[in-house]
């Protein structure tokens, strides 16, 4: 999870020691106890064999011990249990010379079983270590796109949360950023169609353009046009490379907080769900007519329209991607975000604060979907901050 400006710089690295600890699936109070089940099984089999008589011997079942260890322990732990199984078998089977003995065939079975279990554990550990590495690569890629944002950046209080889907290990194209400049502060939240590194690359391209144009262009219309042009040029680039993703597009919400006005917001919606305006006493959707997604401008070449709307000082803009709006419960019903937020704000007006708001959306989405996310899920909340005495920070810049 990413929330606000915290949590961006704390990522676990899949080092060898770290990975080994993760292989210990059973932990109590932070200590690995994966060795307990195979040890108990070994003792139970040895004791049970002691109480069996005649030709009914179960000591050969001890071959199960390294098999269980291979599933939940590390390689060395499995090798130790394989050796213990062989030693225990030899000791117990020959303890009573006058009784029936399973003999050499079962000894070979236990020995070969221990060796195979150790090899299987090595394969499992190697696969898990590779999975950890690929997960950390995906985290690094996402962290590159969703750069850490300073607190109270650009005169705005903000909070964001990003959740990866549980299916597969492919990263998606959700993105958000804040760019302050001499003409105010601009915010971009969007979702690139598709998944994989291609989607992340497209998101990175759009963010690079936004950071440049959002800082230097005086009109939000020009920023929107620059984004559209960059999307089309990137598609030409991928077409020249012969990629199959040439028809990729992106939905987005572009917000502008003018430096000359502290009670208005400028909005351009590119095929995205309009932002929700969450205040201490009400929740409403911004009444904006959206343009087509970025990359589909040729279907409607009309000029981009910027909506300039009033926004109270205590109102927060909430933008989510389709991972939230299309989250389904066990019966296939969609998550009703606006209704849920409205009820929660009625009970607790303080929920309009950006950090609490995105935390509520995160928990609500996970609860509604039962934790089974099928798409990248992003929620981003932002509102103006006030300098002491109610004055707006000069030039829209942040107070840090």
């Amino acid at each position: 999870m990413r929330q606000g400006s915290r949590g961006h710089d704390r990522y676990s690295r899949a080092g060898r020691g770290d990975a080994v600890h993760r292989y210990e699936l059973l932990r109590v109070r932070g200590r690995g106890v994966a060795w307990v089940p195979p040890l108990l099984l070994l003792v139970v089999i040895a004791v049970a064999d002691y109480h069996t008589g005649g030709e009914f011997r179960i000591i050969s079942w001890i071959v199960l011990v390294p098999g269980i260890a291979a599933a939940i322990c590390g390689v060395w732990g499995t090798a130790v249990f394989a050796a213990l199984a062989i030693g225990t078998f030899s000791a117990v089977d020959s303890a009573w010379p006058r009784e029936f003995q399973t003999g050499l065939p079962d000894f070979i079975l236990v020995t070969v079983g221990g060796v195979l279990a150790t090899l299987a554990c090595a394969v499992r550990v190697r696969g898990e270590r590779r999975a950890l590495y690929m997960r950390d690569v995906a985290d690094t890629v996402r962290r590159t796109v969703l750069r850490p944002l300073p607190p109270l950046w650009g005169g705005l209080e903000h909070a964001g949360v990003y959740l990866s889907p549980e299916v597969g290990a492919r990263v998606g194209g959700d993105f958000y950023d804040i760019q302050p400049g001499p003409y105010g502060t601009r915010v971009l939240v969007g979702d690139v169609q598709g998944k994989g590194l291609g989607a992340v690359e497209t998101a990175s391209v759009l963010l690079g353009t936004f950071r440049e144009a959002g800082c230097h262009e005086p009109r939000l219309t020009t920023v929107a046009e620059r984004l559209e042009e960059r999307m089309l040029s990137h598609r030409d680039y991928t077409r020249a490379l012969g990629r199959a993703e040439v028809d990729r597009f992106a939905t987005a919400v572009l917000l502008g907080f003018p430096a000359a006005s502290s009670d208005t917001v400028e909005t351009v919606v590119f095929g995205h769900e309009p932002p929700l305006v969450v205040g201490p006493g009400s929740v409403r959707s911004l009444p904006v007519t959206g343009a087509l997604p970025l990359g589909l401008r040729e279907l409607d070449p009309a000029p981009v329209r910027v909506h300039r709307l009033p926004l109270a000082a205590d109102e927060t803009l909430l933008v989510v991607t389709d991972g939230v709006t299309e989250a389904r419960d066990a019966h296939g019903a969609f998550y009703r975000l606006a209704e849920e937020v409205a009820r929660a704000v009625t009970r607790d007006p303080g929920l309009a604060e950006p950090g609490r708001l995105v935390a509520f959306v995160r928990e609500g989405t996970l609860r509604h979907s039962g934790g089974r996310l099928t798409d990248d899920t992003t929620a981003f909340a932002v509102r103006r901050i006030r300098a002491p005495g109610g004055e707006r920070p000069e030039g829209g810049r942040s107070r840090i």
Side-chain angles (χ1 to χ4, degrees):
M1 184 191 89
R2 297 175 173 213
Q3 182 171 340
S5 59
R6 298 178 297 274
H8 289 277
D9 55 350
R10 295 193 298 270
Y11 288 86
S12 58
R13 302 179 62 183
R16 185 178 184 87
D18 183 50
V20 169
H21 284 297
R22 297 184 201 185
Y23 299 144
E24 299 176 356
L25 303 183
L26 301 178
R27 304 183 71 84
V28 175
R29 296 181 179 179
R31 296 185 177 183
V33 294
W35 53 271
V36 174
L39 181 61
L40 288 178
L41 181 62
L42 185 146
V43 173
V44 168
I45 291 175
V47 172
D49 183 80
Y50 174 80
H51 290 87
T52 58
E55 297 184 0
F56 183 74
R57 303 291 302 277
I58 65 170
I59 190 59
S60 58
W61 294 7
I62 209 167
V63 71
L64 298 175
V65 171
I68 297 297
I72 60 178
C73 296
V75 177
W76 285 107
T78 303
V80 169
F81 277 109
L84 286 176
I86 295 172
T88 303
F89 174 86
S90 300
V92 174
D93 192 47
S94 59
W96 298 274
R98 298 181 181 181
E99 297 289 339
F100 172 79
Q101 296 179 338
T102 58
L104 183 61
D106 283 3
F107 176 81
I108 295 176
L109 172 66
V110 173
T111 302
V112 172
V115 172
L116 293 178
T118 303
L119 293 176
C121 181
V123 172
R124 190 207 94 215
V125 167
R126 183 177 181 180
E128 290 183 355
R129 183 171 286 121
R130 178 175 178 81
L132 289 170
Y133 172 76
M134 294 304 297
R135 189 198 69 181
D136 284 356
V137 168
D139 284 344
T140 301
V141 171
R142 290 301 313 172
R143 189 164 71 250
T144 301
V145 175
L146 297 181
R147 64 175 181 174
L149 295 174
L152 309 183
W153 181 234
L156 302 178
E157 180 183 2
H158 62 85
V161 60
Y162 169 80
L163 296 173
S164 299
E166 297 298 329
V167 290
R170 303 183 68 189
V171 292
D174 287 8
F175 58 90
Y176 57 78
D177 201 7
I178 297 175
Q179 181 58 56
Y183 307 103
T185 301
R186 279 73 184 262
V187 177
L188 181 66
V189 183
D191 180 10
V192 177
Q193 174 260 337
K195 295 184 181 298
L197 293 180
V200 176
E201 179 186 17
T202 303
S204 178
V205 165
L206 290 174
L207 285 173
T209 301
F210 166 73
R211 290 160 186 164
E212 177 70 18
C215 179
H216 299 291
E217 294 294 343
R219 299 171 61 243
L220 195 66
T221 305
T222 308
V223 179
E225 292 173 349
R226 290 277 301 276
L227 290 171
E228 177 65 27
E229 293 169 358
R230 189 66 181 92
M231 186 69 186
L232 293 178
S233 65
H234 182 67
R235 285 174 53 179
D236 291 340
Y237 165 77
T238 57
R239 184 180 291 111
L241 291 178
R243 295 183 185 174
E245 57 190 46
V246 294
D247 295 329
R248 194 183 297 276
F249 60 88
T251 64
V253 173
L254 177 62
L255 303 174
F257 295 85
S261 176
S262 61
D263 57 356
T264 60
V265 61
E266 298 176 335
T267 308
V268 180
V269 177
F270 297 98
H272 201 90
E273 189 77 14
L276 285 179
V277 181
V278 182
S282 65
V283 175
R284 70 181 192 278
S285 179
L286 278 184
V288 295
T289 55
L292 290 174
L294 293 168
L296 302 180
R297 180 74 175 274
E298 65 272 12
L299 300 179
D300 183 11
V304 174
R305 181 182 178 186
V306 175
H307 298 266
R308 191 177 180 92
L309 303 167
L311 185 69
D314 58 354
E315 289 182 324
T316 298
L317 292 176
L318 173 65
V319 186
V320 300
T321 61
D322 54 9
V324 176
T325 56
E326 296 181 5
R328 296 173 181 261
D329 61 13
H331 305 288
F334 290 111
Y335 180 50
R336 299 181 179 274
L337 174 65
E339 297 179 9
E340 292 290 333
V341 173
R343 282 195 291 266
V345 169
T346 300
R347 294 191 301 265
D348 181 9
L351 192 69
E353 186 270 328
R356 295 186 58 190
L357 184 57
V358 296
F360 174 83
V361 174
R362 175 187 183 275
E363 297 303 324
T365 304
L366 291 175
R367 181 176 60 253
H368 183 80
S369 63
R372 298 181 298 273
L373 300 176
T374 59
D375 197 1
D376 295 272
T377 301
T378 298
F380 191 77
V382 60
R383 70 179 178 186
R384 289 184 182 271
I385 59 175
R386 294 280 178 169
E391 298 179 358
R392 176 180 50 82
E394 182 179 356
R397 298 286 183 174
S398 61
R399 295 185 295 109
I400 301 178

